[in-house]
Amino acid sequence: MTPQLLSARRPNHALPLRRAPRSTLSAASVPNIVDIFVGLVSRLNAVAIQVHRTASLRSECADIRAYARHMGESHVWLNEALLTALEKAGSSLTPDYLPSPEQQDEIDALQLSEAAHFDIDYIQFQNRLYLDMLNLCERFLRTRTPMANLNIYALTLCDYLKYHLSQFAPTLSTARASAA
């Protein structure tokens, strides 16, 4: 199924809009900035893994299931890349691979989405999640931390997220319009 066909299946309802992760990256010291970033990005990756795995099981569309499987595997790889970046930087930080209780509630709400609306709810959830992740990575990069490996990870993640957001731009525009 193409993104254009998904946008044509727009439901009259929508899952509640999530709020972007809030932190004071720019006001924190470098170790705190890194700690905040690693904690938030690893949690958001964990949310993405669960959401994509849910879609790979729940979607009635074979193309969406295949896409979701691929995306779930990609986010596992992104968490592994985060670990590698931390190890190469000599950091002892441990990523947090569990969604927060609020994030888990959002995942649960998606899992309970009606079958007829699931695919569009899934893509809209993904778009909101990816916008949150992109915002977080861009804010992290503006802090100009001296950890080159983590900066490269954040840049790579930005490119990855922008690419996948562009795939579903018609759906994303709808989500932004419904939020207004």
Side-chain angles (χ1 to χ4, degrees):
M1 175 170 289
T2 66
Q4 291 74 22
L5 290 177
L6 268 175
S7 64
R9 295 177 56 189
R10 218 172 290 141
N12 293 334
H13 74 289
L15 291 174
L17 284 177
R18 299 175 322 106
R19 296 196 175 159
R22 300 287 182 222
S23 67
T24 56
L25 283 178
S26 56
S29 65
V30 171
N32 289 340
I33 289 169
V34 171
D35 190 31
I36 292 167
F37 174 74
V38 169
L40 290 173
V41 79
S42 60
R43 278 182 179 233
L44 291 171
N45 268 327
V47 171
I49 291 166
Q50 285 193 31
V51 166
H52 292 305
R53 286 184 178 163
T54 296
S56 71
L57 298 171
R58 287 254 355 252
S59 179
E60 294 177 357
C61 175
D63 289 342
I64 296 286
R65 286 192 310 271
Y67 171 81
R69 272 191 302 279
H70 171 73
M71 296 305 291
E73 292 167 3
S74 295
H75 281 278
V76 168
W77 178 86
L78 286 166
N79 268 342
E80 290 173 5
L82 178 60
L83 266 177
T84 301
L86 289 169
E87 288 171 2
K88 287 188 177 195
S91 175
S92 61
L93 286 175
T94 304
D96 188 353
Y97 297 119
L98 294 175
S100 71
E102 296 82 15
Q103 291 167 328
Q104 190 60 55
D105 288 346
E106 294 166 1
I107 294 167
D108 294 345
L110 177 66
Q111 290 172 341
L112 296 173
S113 178
E114 293 179 33
H117 304 291
F118 179 81
D119 289 344
I120 194 69
D121 287 345
Y122 159 63
I123 295 301
Q124 287 177 338
F125 189 108
Q126 173 197 260
N127 289 347
R128 290 188 306 267
L129 178 66
Y130 284 8
L131 284 171
D132 288 352
M133 292 176 83
L134 182 60
N135 181 21
L136 174 65
C137 289
E138 288 174 343
R139 287 187 298 149
F140 175 75
L141 289 167
R142 283 192 298 270
T143 65
R144 302 190 190 281
T145 63
M147 297 182 72
N149 292 319
L150 214 47
N151 290 330
I152 292 169
Y153 173 84
L155 278 170
T156 303
L157 186 53
C158 280
D159 288 344
Y160 172 85
L161 296 168
K162 286 176 184 176
Y163 171 75
H164 288 292
L165 282 166
S166 71
Q167 286 184 306
F168 294 99
T171 317
L172 180 61
S173 300
T174 303
R176 284 186 180 160
S178 67

